[in-house]
């Protein structure tokens, strides 16, 4: 068939760009892949920004690149699996592909969100990045996963919650755009942990009670003592050993860590103080029971995407979740009370509408009506008295 | 010449943050020469611009101290120059880790 050429076939770029408009999906894909393969990576970034969704809206578009353990400017690597490709022989590639798929499906099915930007953004991931690279990160366009040094860490693609964590950074960037410093930064990290964990729970069909609430339990090597990178259930207890020290995450505002707002202070402890909002979500989910992605997940998603902004502090975010819970499930509903109590348990008091129960509202209204009635009667008597005096004066004049 | 490498940030920041030091004069002659050339290239290049969109990236601050001066260069995951990458690898393998964790 005419369009079955490899990515190496020589087609002028203007024709390839024209082919991107073709109705034939396969042809569009080949044209795009050829363009990408023949373009330097910096140029690729520019191209993708010009064509934010060349493959069409509403489609899951995953592409995995293999950096082959080289570290260089991003994006990079050899394309090893695309959306329509079958599994490959490399487990890491398949883990990344499946993890992106599960995360995409989670956002699409539960929140009708079409990918990271809500508009079908391509999901690109680079695996086997760097040499013994102990990290996974999001660079604003792609997710990058290292293989770990095999001393402390194994491949970061082994944890679905880590993959979903990185992808959620993209969702946050496209919604609340929480600053990556201090409390907004810790909230940014917490959003990635919350939805990272929810993707895993949803994938395993676990309820709040049976979930492990751990972030990255699979990335530690078998020889490394510890449960995971973080624990939402019990922040500060994920690991404690001589090799890597003790988990420093606080679970309560009393233990909030004021760290320098620079690289060496983890931008004010964004990966540390996230333990506080993480735990609030856990407490709320446990109080409500059932599947955490249902009610608590929806409250947090609604807050993240529509009810908070770049500079939000813990208090503002907590207030917003209680407000959202009230709007979605009713003032003083069990759901709203559970959210408010969850924040209280981590040391954040939410006041206002969330703390007023209907009985109190009814009593207050009744008092107000009585007061108004009393005031009206009193006014009326005064006006009648005044009128009577005026009539009396007029009568005297006539007489 | 003494080198200090401060690694910070990352998905597992509290664990992976670390500091390494290396006294270049204690290295074999051929490695010394290699390190000096890498340092020269790194200091001569324009300073990397941090990307505000990076999340969970690790940062690498290299501080070079000689008899006459002290200079620092910081770069993040995904934007390390080739000489910086090579030097980081050398420091990790031939230097001394003086701190692990935050």
């Amino acid at each position: 068939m005419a369009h079955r050429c490899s990515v190496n076939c020589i087609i002028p770029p203007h024709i390839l760009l024209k082919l991107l408009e073709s109705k034939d999906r396969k042809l569009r894909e080949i044209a795009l892949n050829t363009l990408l393969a023949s373009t330097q990576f910096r140029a690729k970034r520019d191209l993708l920004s010009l064509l934010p969704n060349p493959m069409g809206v509403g489609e899951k578009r995953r592409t995995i690149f293999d950096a082959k353990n080289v570290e260089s400017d991003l994006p990079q690597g050899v394309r090893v699996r695309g959306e329509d490709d079958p599994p490959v022989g490399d487990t890491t590639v398949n883990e990344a592909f499946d993890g992106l798929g599960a995360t995409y499906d989670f956002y699409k099915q539960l929140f009708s969100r079409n990918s990271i930007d809500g508009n079908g953004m391509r999901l690109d991931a680079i695996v086997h990045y760097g040499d013994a690279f102990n990290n996974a990160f999001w660079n604003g366009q792609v997710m990058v996963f290292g293989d770990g040094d095999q001393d402390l860490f194994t491949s970061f693609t082994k944890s679905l919650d880590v993959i979903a964590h990185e992808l959620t950074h993209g969702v946050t960037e496209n919604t609340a755009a929480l600053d990556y410093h201090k409390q907004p930064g810790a909230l940014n990290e917490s959003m990635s942990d919350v939805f990272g964990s929810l993707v895993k729970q949803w994938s395993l069909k676990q309820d709040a009670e049976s979930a492990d609430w751990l972030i990255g339990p699979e990335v530690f090597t078998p020889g490394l003592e510890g449960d995971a990178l973080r624990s939402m259930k019990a922040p500060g207890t994920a690991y404690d050993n001589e090799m890597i020290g003790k988990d420093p995450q606080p679970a309560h505002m009393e233990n909030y860590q004021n760290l320098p707002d620079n690289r060496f202070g983890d931008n004010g402890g964004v990966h540390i103080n996230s333990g506080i909002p993480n735990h609030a979500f856990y407490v709320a989910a446990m109080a409500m029971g059932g599947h955490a992605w249902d009610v608590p997940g929806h409250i947090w998603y609604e807050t993240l995407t529509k009810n908070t902004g770049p500079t939000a502090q813990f208090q503002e975010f907590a207030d917003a979740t209680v407000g959202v819970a009230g709007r979605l499930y009713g003032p003083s509903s069990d759901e709203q009370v559970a959210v408010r109590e969850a924040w209280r348990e981590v040391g954040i008091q939410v006041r206002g509408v969330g703390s007023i129960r209907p009985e109190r509202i009814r009593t207050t209204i009744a008092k107000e009506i009585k007061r108004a009635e009393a005031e009206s009667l009193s006014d009326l008597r005064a006006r009648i008295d005044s009128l009577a005096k005026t009539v009396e004066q007029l009568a005297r004049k006539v007489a | 010449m003494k080198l200090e490498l401060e690694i910070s940030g990352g998905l597992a920041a509290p664990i992976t943050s670390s500091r390494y030091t290396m006294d270049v004069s204690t290295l074999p002659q051929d490695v010394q020469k290699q390190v000096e050339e890498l340092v020269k290239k790194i200091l001569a290049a324009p300073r990397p611009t941090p990307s505000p969109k990076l999340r969970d990236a690790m940062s690498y601050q290299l501080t070079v101290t000689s008899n006459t001066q002290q200079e620092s260069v910081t770069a993040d995951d995904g934007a390390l120059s080739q000489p910086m990458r090579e030097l980081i690898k050398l420091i990790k393998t031939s230097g001394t880790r003086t701190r692990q964790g935050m």
Side-chain angles (χ1 to χ4, degrees):
Chain A
M1 287 172 71
H3 62 266
R4 276 194 172 273
C5 64
S6 75
V7 291
N8 298 317
C9 66
I10 302 166
I11 301 175
H14 69 276
I15 294 178
L16 289 169
L17 283 167
K18 192 71 189 163
L19 288 176
L20 285 176
E21 296 166 8
S22 166
K23 287 180 180 171
D24 185 330
R25 187 165 171 275
K26 195 75 187 168
L27 205 56
R28 292 201 310 268
E29 188 178 0
I30 289 170
L32 179 68
N33 288 334
T34 308
L35 271 167
L36 295 183
S38 61
T39 308
Q40 287 297 319
F41 280 119
R42 286 193 183 284
K44 173 187 163 183
R45 184 176 61 194
D46 296 341
L47 176 68
L48 287 174
S49 68
L50 287 170
L51 305 168
N53 188 24
M55 302 311 291
V57 172
E59 293 176 60
K60 186 163 50 178
R61 299 297 314 168
R62 293 166 286 179
T63 311
I64 312 297
F65 298 87
D66 184 350
K68 297 190 177 294
N69 295 113
V70 172
E71 190 177 333
S72 65
D73 284 356
L74 289 173
Q76 59 147 240
V78 178
R79 182 188 181 283
V80 284
R81 190 171 171 193
E83 190 58 45
D84 299 326
D85 297 333
V88 295
D90 185 338
T91 307
T92 305
V93 171
N94 297 331
E95 284 168 350
F97 186 86
D98 294 342
L100 295 186
T103 311
Y104 177 95
D105 292 342
F106 168 87
Y107 279 109
K108 189 78 167 67
Q109 291 178 32
L110 294 177
F111 307 114
S112 300
R113 182 176 193 83
N114 185 11
S115 193
I116 288 171
D117 62 351
N119 196 33
M121 180 176 171
R122 295 175 63 91
L123 300 175
D124 290 346
I126 296 169
V127 298
H128 300 309
Y129 180 77
D131 184 15
F133 186 62
N134 274 342
N135 199 19
F137 66 97
W138 162 253
N139 85 333
Q141 285 194 302
V142 296
M143 283 145 276
V144 183
F145 301 96
D147 289 340
D149 58 4
Q150 306 303 318
D151 185 22
L152 298 177
F153 298 106
T154 60
S155 173
F156 282 75
T157 56
K158 290 196 179 303
S159 270
L160 174 57
D161 41 86
V162 166
I163 294 173
H165 174 107
E166 295 309 329
L167 197 149
T168 299
H169 274 308
V171 174
T172 299
E173 186 186 317
N174 280 279
T175 53
L178 288 155
D179 291 344
Y180 208 54
H181 299 273
K182 302 191 124 183
Q183 288 197 16
L187 284 168
N188 192 320
E189 273 302 314
S190 178
M191 294 303 104
S192 280
D193 280 353
V194 164
F195 289 101
S197 182
L198 289 183
V199 169
K200 181 169 70 178
Q201 292 175 33
W202 180 73
S203 184
L204 297 171
K205 309 293 174 231
Q206 289 177 323
D207 58 20
E209 189 71 40
S210 52
D212 64 12
W213 296 97
L214 295 170
I215 304 300
E218 298 88 355
V219 302
F220 281 175
T221 52
L224 184 65
E225 257 183 69
D227 295 330
L229 300 175
R230 292 183 276 280
S231 167
M232 296 176 70
K233 180 178 180 178
T237 68
Y239 54 87
D240 184 4
N241 65 65
E242 277 185 20
M243 211 167 172
I244 56 173
K246 186 180 182 309
D247 175 6
Q249 280 211 311
H252 193 280
M253 285 303 283
E254 279 176 358
N255 301 314
Y256 182 89
Q257 293 195 28
N258 278 304
L259 292 162
D261 186 11
N262 58 32
R263 288 175 161 105
F264 309 116
D266 188 31
N267 296 315
V270 298
H271 292 91
I272 294 175
N273 292 314
S274 54
I276 296 168
N278 275 0
H279 192 56
F281 182 84
Y282 163 81
V283 174
M286 289 299 285
M288 291 184 218
H291 293 133
W293 62 81
D294 278 342
V295 176
H298 278 79
I299 293 170
W300 255 245
Y301 181 80
E302 193 71 9
T303 305
L304 170 68
T305 56
K306 295 180 192 131
N307 293 276
T308 194
T311 59
Q313 304 295 302
F314 286 179
Q315 181 71 58
E316 292 170 69
F317 187 84
D319 291 348
T321 56
V322 174
V324 167
R327 282 199 295 282
L328 292 180
Y329 302 98
S332 299
S333 56
D334 289 347
E335 291 83 355
Q336 193 187 38
V337 171
V339 173
R340 193 189 67 226
E341 290 303 304
W343 286 111
R344 193 186 55 75
E345 195 158 324
V346 301
I348 295 170
Q349 309 291 332
V350 177
R351 296 188 177 85
V353 66
S355 61
I356 299 173
R357 289 188 164 274
E359 311 88 79
R360 201 170 142 197
I361 294 171
R362 279 195 290 274
T363 311
T364 308
I365 290 171
K367 276 183 189 168
E368 284 298 307
I369 291 170
K370 272 188 182 173
R371 191 179 61 78
E373 282 174 354
E375 279 178 5
S376 299
L377 281 171
S378 165
D379 282 352
L380 195 60
R381 274 193 204 106
R383 283 170 66 189
I384 290 170
D385 287 350
S386 166
L387 203 60
K389 278 177 189 168
T390 308
V391 170
E392 200 178 311
Q393 283 167 3
L394 280 172
R396 276 189 204 135
K397 280 181 186 174
V398 172
Chain B
M1 183 167 57
K2 286 181 179 150
L3 306 180
E4 185 181 273
L5 175 66
E6 181 92 39
I7 302 175
S8 57
L11 176 71
I15 299 172
T16 49
S17 294
S18 51
R19 182 185 291 138
Y20 293 82
T21 55
M22 191 163 83
D23 185 342
V24 181
S25 66
T26 63
L27 301 170
Q29 281 290 316
D30 56 333
V31 185
Q32 266 190 47
K33 199 178 168 195
Q34 192 188 355
V35 169
E36 281 164 5
E37 279 175 9
L38 289 170
V39 167
K40 202 173 162 186
K41 282 183 191 170
I42 291 166
L43 295 181
R47 295 293 185 267
T49 312
S51 165
K53 291 194 169 182
L54 280 173
R55 299 290 179 259
D56 293 329
M58 291 198 284
S59 295
Y60 307 82
Q61 180 177 280
L62 173 71
T63 304
V64 182
T65 307
S66 64
N67 291 332
T68 52
Q69 59 183 4
Q70 187 175 69
E71 278 192 82
S72 287
V73 177
T74 306
D76 301 316
D77 275 336
L80 297 176
S81 66
Q82 185 62 31
M84 188 79 166
R85 282 195 291 272
E86 284 179 35
L87 189 58
I88 288 170
K89 196 171 178 183
L90 258 168
I91 295 174
K92 278 180 160 181
T93 50
S94 305
T96 307
R97 187 166 65 197
T98 56
R99 200 194 72 223
Q100 173 78 54
M102 281 181 75

